[in-house]
Amino acid sequence: MTTALARPLVSVYSEKNEPNGTSIPLPAVFKAPIRPDIVSFIHNQMRCNNRIPYAVSRKAGHQTSAESWGTGRAVARIPRVRGGGTHRSGQGAFGNMCRGGRMFAPTKTYRRWHRKINITQRRYAMCSAIAATGVPALVMSKGHRIEEIPEVPLVLCDKIEELKKTKEAVSLLKKFRAYTDILKVMKSKRFRAGKGKMRNRRRIKRLGPLIIYNKDNGVRRAFRNIPGITLISVSQLNLLRVAPGGHVGRFCIWSESAFRKLDPLYGTWRKESRLKNNYNLPMPKMTNSDLSRLLKSEEIQQAVRPPRKLVTRHQMKKNPLKNIRVMLRLNPYAAVQKRNDILMAEKRLREKQAVLDKKRGIVTEVKPGRPGKPKKTAGKAKKAAPSKKKAGKK
């Protein structure tokens, strides 16, 4: 993520949006590794240090003389307000489930509100945030409108530090086509969602460019009334301003002297910082972040083993007791056994049916030569009665 390495020189522009012929070598801090995880973590820790302690009253919920009624009265054993003649008497008190009771785990002012932050880690986050401001893709992904500005990072001559009128500042931004970002801020002004509307924080808007200067000769007064603009001194850079929300890639406009002060401020990998005690820039984990090119290099390809072309497919193990085809493969005689079992079961069924029919007096007709199911005749067999001759009168 160190795209700024491709640009060793940065042009300085005059207040008329013209290169004044001066080029500054890109400060080494713009080549520092960009670590959004460290920036987000340090930003969260720094935000904790702005909190104001709050707590509920120590006596809240306990300013009544309540006592439990005990057992045997078919009511809960929660403490109840004493007395009579009012709705309040007999109501539950003290508990967090009771109306007018205290909250669960009442907040205390001696909570651990603030956080100690490792100074080296804080500087690492600051270097990452500065390096991200020099990558146009990250700045545009943050939502800044920088399509028409001449260069990123944008460095202007020191005459911008002498501006004293807002009209002059607006004219300067329009010349560099950076006023589009201000218009975006104006259109984004809206009401806050949530209870902040009731707490003197009704409206919110997006953030615009960050003006970084070396000496304040009127620049703060010129830019302070433009919506979305933030001004900060290069010697007092703050992560909450350079990477608001913990997201890297804010649009920064540098003055020439402020841009030149970055190398003495943060140093290089070969030379320590002159303004910070015993500090060097953080080393990147990878000197070449092009991972695909690394993997295809000859040195790595010679060290790795060749790919295994043989593909071994595992067959599913099938249960021969449930799968007849697997059983026939193991025991071909299983088909004969299964057929014999079916025939034997049919034979037993016929014999059992014959016994039942005999008991019920049902005659079954069995066709010779065909061992099928016997046919039953309708009705029961009638016994032949002896014929009586009627004696006629002679």
Side-chain angles (χ1 to χ4, degrees):
M1 295 178 72
T2 53
T3 315
L5 284 170
R7 299 178 56 252
L9 293 175
V10 180
S11 302
V12 179
Y13 290 84
S14 67
E15 69 277 7
K16 298 179 181 179
N17 193 8
E18 296 174 356
N20 59 3
T22 308
S23 296
I24 304 175
L26 189 72
V29 69
F30 280 91
K31 304 170 189 175
I34 299 174
R35 293 286 302 274
D37 53 338
I38 295 179
V39 173
S40 177
F41 172 74
I42 297 299
H43 184 277
N44 187 33
Q45 297 290 95
M46 291 176 70
R47 287 285 294 152
C48 289
N49 293 334
N50 294 335
R51 294 188 291 181
I52 299 173
Y54 65 88
V56 296
S57 173
R58 186 180 59 84
K59 298 182 286 186
H62 282 269
Q63 293 175 306
T64 181
S65 60
E67 191 177 354
S68 174
W69 289 357
T71 59
R73 299 185 65 174
V75 291
R77 287 176 283 186
I78 192 75
R80 296 176 184 276
V81 178
R82 294 172 178 271
T86 176
H87 291 293
R88 182 60 176 149
S89 59
Q91 288 183 353
F94 296 168
N96 63 323
M97 76 292 293
C98 299
R99 178 178 176 271
R102 53 153 174 79
M103 64 178 290
F104 168 75
T107 51
K108 305 293 182 184
T109 54
Y110 50 80
R111 185 193 296 183
R112 191 171 73 98
W113 299 96
H114 302 87
R115 300 288 184 270
K116 290 182 179 179
I117 306 171
N118 187 314
I119 191 168
T120 308
Q121 216 173 13
R122 189 168 58 193
R123 287 173 178 172
Y124 197 136
M126 192 70 244
C127 292
S128 293
I130 293 173
T133 62
V135 183
L138 293 178
V139 178
M140 292 180 74
S141 69
K142 192 83 166 56
H144 292 290
R145 306 298 302 273
I146 60 167
E147 297 88 357
E148 299 178 344
I149 66 170
E151 200 170 336
V152 174
L154 184 60
V155 182
L156 308 183
C157 63
D158 285 338
K159 287 187 178 180
I160 66 165
E161 295 181 355
E162 300 173 3
L163 299 179
K164 293 181 175 61
K165 291 285 187 178
T166 305
K167 180 171 62 175
E168 298 171 355
V170 171
S171 176
L172 179 76
L173 292 172
K174 286 181 178 179
K175 284 178 183 177
F176 285 92
R177 305 297 176 89
Y179 198 71
T180 316
D181 207 38
I182 306 298
L183 295 176
K184 175 208 69 177
V185 173
M186 292 178 179
K187 291 179 182 177
S188 68
K189 192 172 182 181
R190 61 202 182 275
F191 283 102
R192 180 186 298 271
K195 289 193 175 181
K197 290 191 293 291
M198 297 181 272
R199 295 172 182 166
N200 206 20
R201 306 190 292 263
R202 292 188 67 80
R203 296 179 184 272
I204 55 173
K205 60 179 182 293
R206 302 193 67 177
L207 289 176
L210 175 67
I211 310 292
I212 302 174
Y213 60 88
N214 185 29
K215 291 183 180 179
D216 181 15
N217 296 325
V219 63
R220 293 189 68 91
R221 187 174 180 182
F223 283 93
R224 67 185 179 183
N225 205 28
I226 301 174
I229 291 277
T230 309
L231 293 110
I232 194 168
S233 173
V234 68
S235 56
Q236 296 176 345
L237 288 175
N238 189 351
L239 187 70
L240 302 178
R241 304 289 173 266
V242 182
H247 307 298
V248 297
R250 188 167 185 185
F251 174 33
C252 294
I253 300 175
W254 303 79
S255 69
E256 183 181 352
S257 56
F259 201 70
R260 290 183 185 275
K261 198 174 180 180
L262 287 175
D263 271 343
L265 192 63
Y266 290 98
T268 63
W269 289 285
R270 296 181 180 179
K271 191 165 56 175
E272 289 183 356
S273 168
R274 285 190 294 167
L275 302 177
K276 299 180 189 297
N277 186 23
N278 194 21
Y279 180 72
N280 282 85
L281 284 176
M283 292 292 291
K285 297 291 182 185
M286 299 175 67
T287 54
N288 182 11
S289 58
D290 193 353
L291 189 59
S292 60
R293 185 179 175 186
L294 284 174
L295 294 176
K296 292 177 182 178
S297 62
E298 294 181 2
E299 294 81 7
I300 291 180
Q301 289 297 322
Q302 289 174 358
V304 298
R305 61 166 178 76
R308 293 171 181 168
K309 302 284 186 179
L310 183 63
V311 179
T312 56
R313 298 186 181 278
H314 296 282
Q315 293 181 349
M316 184 187 294
K317 185 177 179 181
K318 297 180 180 179
N319 189 357
L321 299 176
K322 295 182 179 180
N323 195 316
I324 187 61
R325 293 181 182 178
V326 180
M327 176 60 84
L328 291 176
R329 232 181 283 138
L330 297 174
N331 180 19
Y333 190 69
V336 180
Q337 289 179 331
K338 188 172 182 180
R339 181 62 184 163
N340 289 342
D341 291 342
I342 293 171
L343 295 175
M344 187 61 70
E346 290 180 354
K347 183 181 177 183
R348 290 200 193 98
L349 191 62
R350 286 197 303 271
E351 291 175 352
K352 184 178 179 182
Q353 189 65 35
V355 173
L356 289 174
D357 290 346
K358 187 176 180 182
K359 287 182 179 179
R360 294 169 183 166
I362 300 173
V363 178
T364 57
E365 297 179 2
V366 180
K367 293 184 179 181
R370 189 173 180 181
K373 288 187 178 181
K375 289 186 178 181
K376 299 177 182 179
T377 58
K380 294 183 179 181
K382 295 181 180 179
K383 295 181 179 180
S387 60
K388 296 180 181 180
K389 293 181 179 180
K390 292 182 180 181
K393 292 181 180 180
K394 295 182 181 179

